[in-house]
Amino acid sequence: MNTLNFISVLCSLLLLYSAWTDQKEGYIPDRVSIFIFVLSLFSIQNGYGPGLVSRIEGALLCGGCLELIRLISKGGIGMDDVKLITACGFFLGVLSGITALMLSYIFAAILCFPILLFKKVSLKTRVPMAPFFAAAVILLLFFEKPLFTWYFSLWDIF
């Protein structure tokens, strides 16, 4: 296994751990976000992934979007979610980070809409987002190029 795949697998394991913890305990450990930042720094040092500027933009945009929503919703989004998506934005860079953020909310909507429709939960029900963040980020870690190629081919961009 090459170093890039090893870093992606480690990041995936951290995300799966955060998803499990968020689902079971209702929080995301800070150490997960810290370890993802450390993996990002390691990958920068070894020349893997996006450049530093793209990573900073990804962290600021992803974390900033979620923090803005958290402030507007007065706590509807947890600070742990903001820290995790900021770390993921730093790991993925701006384009993949924003894509992961959008995908995670699309995944959440696909799962939650039928449950809301059949009144199994209400709009006030807590939805752990780490599983959706994990799914979206892991999908992009391993299938980023084919996904972007497919998506942009729909619009004849490439």
Side-chain angles (χ1 to χ4, degrees):
M1 175 183 298
N2 68 25
T3 307
L4 179 58
N5 285 342
F6 182 71
I7 292 170
S8 296
V9 168
L10 282 176
C11 184
S12 298
L13 291 172
L14 288 167
L15 288 165
L16 291 172
Y17 174 69
S18 73
W20 181 80
T21 306
D22 196 18
Q23 186 69 37
K24 295 290 182 192
E25 306 293 330
Y27 75 98
I28 302 165
D30 286 343
R31 64 182 171 270
V32 171
S33 300
I34 292 167
F35 285 145
I36 291 173
F37 271 115
V38 170
L39 281 176
S40 300
L41 294 172
F42 180 78
S43 66
I44 291 170
Q45 180 183 12
N46 289 290
Y48 302 122
L52 180 61
V53 172
S54 177
R55 289 174 188 259
I56 292 170
E57 291 171 341
L60 291 174
L61 199 54
C62 291
C65 284
L66 232 55
E67 177 62 13
L68 182 63
I69 294 168
R70 188 181 80 78
L71 292 172
I72 291 170
S73 68
K74 296 183 174 115
I77 293 174
M79 192 62 196
D80 291 338
D81 294 325
V82 175
K83 291 184 274 190
L84 181 63
I85 204 64
T86 301
C88 291
F90 190 71
F91 188 84
L92 294 171
V94 66
L95 180 61
S96 296
I98 287 298
T99 303
L101 182 59
M102 289 188 304
L103 270 177
S104 62
Y105 277 94
I106 290 169
F107 293 161
I110 289 169
L111 181 75
C112 293
F113 182 71
I115 298 169
L116 273 170
L117 190 64
F118 294 112
K119 300 189 192 268
K120 300 287 183 189
V121 296
S122 74
L123 289 175
K124 300 276 185 194
T125 303
R126 181 190 173 283
V127 176
M129 283 304 295
F132 301 109
F133 293 151
V137 171
I138 291 169
L139 184 69
L140 284 167
L141 280 175
F142 295 101
F143 302 105
E144 176 182 27
K145 187 170 179 150
L147 282 172
F148 281 139
T149 302
W150 167 78
Y151 179 76
F152 288 130
S153 72
L154 294 175
W155 306 99
D156 287 329
I157 293 175
F158 290 110

